[in-house]
Amino acid sequence: MTDSSRNDGEQPLRGAVLGLGMMGRHHARILQTDPRVDFVGAVDPGGDRFRALRDPGLAFDSIDALLSSAGSFDFAVIAIPTEEHVAAVERLAGEGVSVLVEKPLAATSDESRAIINAVDRAGVVAAVGHVERYNPALLALRERLGQLGRLVLISTERTGPFPDRIKDVGVVKDLATHDLDLIRWLGGAPVEVVAAQTAHRMGRPHEDLVLVTGRLASDVPFACNVDWLTPTKSRRTRVLGERGMLVADTLTGDLTFHENADVPIEWDTTQHMRGVSEGNSVRFALQRREPLLVELESFWKYLQGEGEAPIVSLEEGLETVLTAEAVLSSARSHESVHLAGAAR
Ligand SMILES: NC(=O)c1ccc[n+]([C@@H]2O[C@H](COP(=O)([O-])OP(=O)(O)OC[C@H]3O[C@@H](n4cnc5c(N)ncnc54)[C@H](O)[C@@H]3O)[C@@H](O)[C@H]2O)c1
């Protein structure tokens, strides 16, 4: 990244959106209403089908058309099908435009590396939109990890019906990449090994259910239960420690602490055989800001040179795609797959 790619924070940032689908229309809403941004337009060859744009004259059908209307601008949010991320980043970075790329970074690790190379060559700023990291419940959970003592398990559940629009990837790359990113972020260590089972129930070429178990390099085990086959939607992250359990519900933005009871017992010598018992539970009052806005704010601050603004780096995005590939490889081979560490 070069200093010239950073805006000094005095002028609104000039920003655009690629893709006006499910995700892009929300980015477009924020970019058009936030005073910190001068919205220069959106690209979608399918047009503005959700009527996300206030000014229909700012809808373009190609990056070239956007560039010839807007001239140079500071950043673009890439919210197009995952398989198309690499070509869009290469084109925009080549024009000196910084990018916030929706998760997952790319469809494959090779494409993720191509994105990293394009960004490095161009010296622009880039980050991955793993929006769960900005959910108030998960931010508060991470801050409170210390109250759990030593970690015992991290476990996630992300289930619900199939969103018909996903065509290019299966549930591992589309949904479980949220979980694989969160587990590393919460556990504070890279994934060392995974073992996975998948199912294909809907007749699509890609899997629609995955169960992952694994272990971080810090020796903490984890589990993810992710599918598109469950009639009710669930988004739960559970971190178990030696003093209790924190549970985040990212649909409602709730965080609850279930404490192990500190109940003195008379026969001390058998205490170690009795395990934990149920203590008090506390549901925390949290300030519930929109995660997508918090994510964009972090990216803008980073772009303006506030190095401490929490963004998800492209290297972390690559790490998540590599872990997803290891999960798919394990499901195919019915073997545990070890991630290569430094060789990544
Ligand atoms: N962070 C999250 O929670 C989250 C949630 C959903 C999707 N996503 C990610 O966002 C991205 C988009 O997903 P979606 O659900 O919005 O998909 P979508 O199919 O609803 O929308 C994609 C849009 O991109 C347009 N498009 C296709 N190719 C294009 C191109 N080359 N240039 C410009 N526009 C193009 C399509 O016409 C479509 O309108 C994917 O990478 C997906 O993984 C992230």
Side-chain angles (χ1 to χ4, degrees):
M1 177 195 327
T2 59
D3 285 345
S4 61
S5 67
R6 293 192 149 167
N7 170 297
D8 60 12
E10 284 173 15
Q11 302 290 324
L13 290 163
R14 303 186 75 233
V17 174
L18 258 64
L20 285 171
M22 279 307 291
M23 209 58 209
R25 67 189 167 133
H26 292 294
H27 285 289
R29 166 176 52 80
I30 295 172
L31 264 51
Q32 289 173 103
T33 49
D34 197 292
R36 288 165 288 190
V37 174
D38 176 10
F39 180 66
V40 298
V43 177
D44 195 317
D48 182 12
R49 53 199 166 100
F50 291 108
R51 294 177 191 268
L53 301 188
R54 291 172 167 185
D55 176 357
L58 290 181
F60 301 95
D61 60 5
S62 68
I63 295 176
D64 286 342
L66 169 66
L67 285 165
S68 62
S69 157
S72 70
F73 54 95
D74 296 303
F75 77 94
V77 178
I78 313 289
I80 62 180
T82 308
E83 286 182 340
E84 307 209 22
H85 287 183
V86 62
V89 173
E90 285 178 342
R91 179 78 179 88
L92 286 168
E95 296 291 332
V97 176
S98 294
V99 285
L100 174 63
V101 187
E102 264 301 342
K103 56 68 26 204
L105 174 57
T108 65
S109 50
D110 285 346
E111 290 179 8
S112 303
R113 290 192 189 92
I115 287 177
I116 292 173
N117 288 339
V119 162
D120 283 351
R121 266 197 315 274
V124 295
V125 172
V128 191
H130 277 286
V131 71
E132 286 280 82
R133 289 206 201 179
Y134 304 90
N135 186 288
L138 284 167
L139 284 167
L141 186 155
R142 192 161 181 262
E143 270 173 26
R144 290 177 181 276
L145 282 175
Q147 88 190 73
L148 294 177
R150 196 165 40 90
L151 298 190
V152 174
L153 170 74
I154 306 176
S155 137
T156 66
E157 179 177 272
R158 190 175 304 274
T159 59
F162 178 59
D164 214 11
R165 66 186 191 284
I166 311 288
K167 304 275 189 279
D168 55 342
V169 287
V171 79
V172 170
K173 288 191 176 160
D174 188 69
L175 267 199
T177 43
H178 284 296
D179 307 89
L180 299 172
D181 175 67
L182 285 181
I183 281 176
R184 225 184 40 246
W185 178 64
L186 292 171
V191 174
E192 193 165 84
V193 60
V194 291
Q197 303 290 331
T198 52
H200 299 69
R201 290 285 177 271
M202 289 188 291
R204 298 171 67 249
H206 300 290
E207 75 294 339
D208 37 43
L209 175 148
V210 65
L211 297 174
V212 188
T213 61
R215 188 172 284 277
L216 297 177
S218 55
D219 215 28
V220 175
F222 66 85
C224 310
N225 172 3
V226 184
D227 74 55
W228 279 324
L229 299 172
T230 303
T232 53
K233 194 166 171 177
S234 165
R235 303 281 185 265
R236 234 168 71 104
T237 301
R238 185 167 80 90
V239 184
L240 187 64
E242 61 187 348
R243 293 194 211 114
M245 176 174 77
L246 283 162
V247 183
D249 183 327
T250 54
L251 282 184
T252 59
D254 281 325
L255 176 68
T256 312
F257 178 48
H258 302 276
E259 196 178 10
N260 293 346
D262 189 14
V263 184
I265 53 170
E266 291 168 5
W267 47 93
D268 276 356
T269 49
T270 57
Q271 184 162 13
H272 67 281
M273 296 165 63
R274 291 163 55 91
V276 303
S277 51
E278 195 175 335
N280 296 324
S281 294
V282 183
R283 189 158 69 84
F284 298 103
L286 303 177
Q287 191 197 2
R288 292 183 173 81
R289 298 190 67 220
E290 183 184 1
L292 199 64
L293 173 59
V294 180
E295 173 188 278
L296 284 164
E297 274 178 357
S298 272
F299 179 67
W300 299 334
K301 283 185 188 159
Y302 190 72
L303 197 48
Q304 288 166 332
E306 292 182 35
E308 73 282 7
I311 54 123
V312 182
S313 69
L314 298 189
E315 287 70 24
E316 290 176 282
L318 166 63
E319 196 81 19
T320 297
V321 173
L322 282 164
T323 313
E325 289 177 342
V327 163
L328 288 167
S329 160
S330 166
R332 273 193 304 271
S333 66
H334 304 291
E335 307 270 355
S336 294
V337 174
H338 288 257
L339 281 101
R344 290 169 211 165

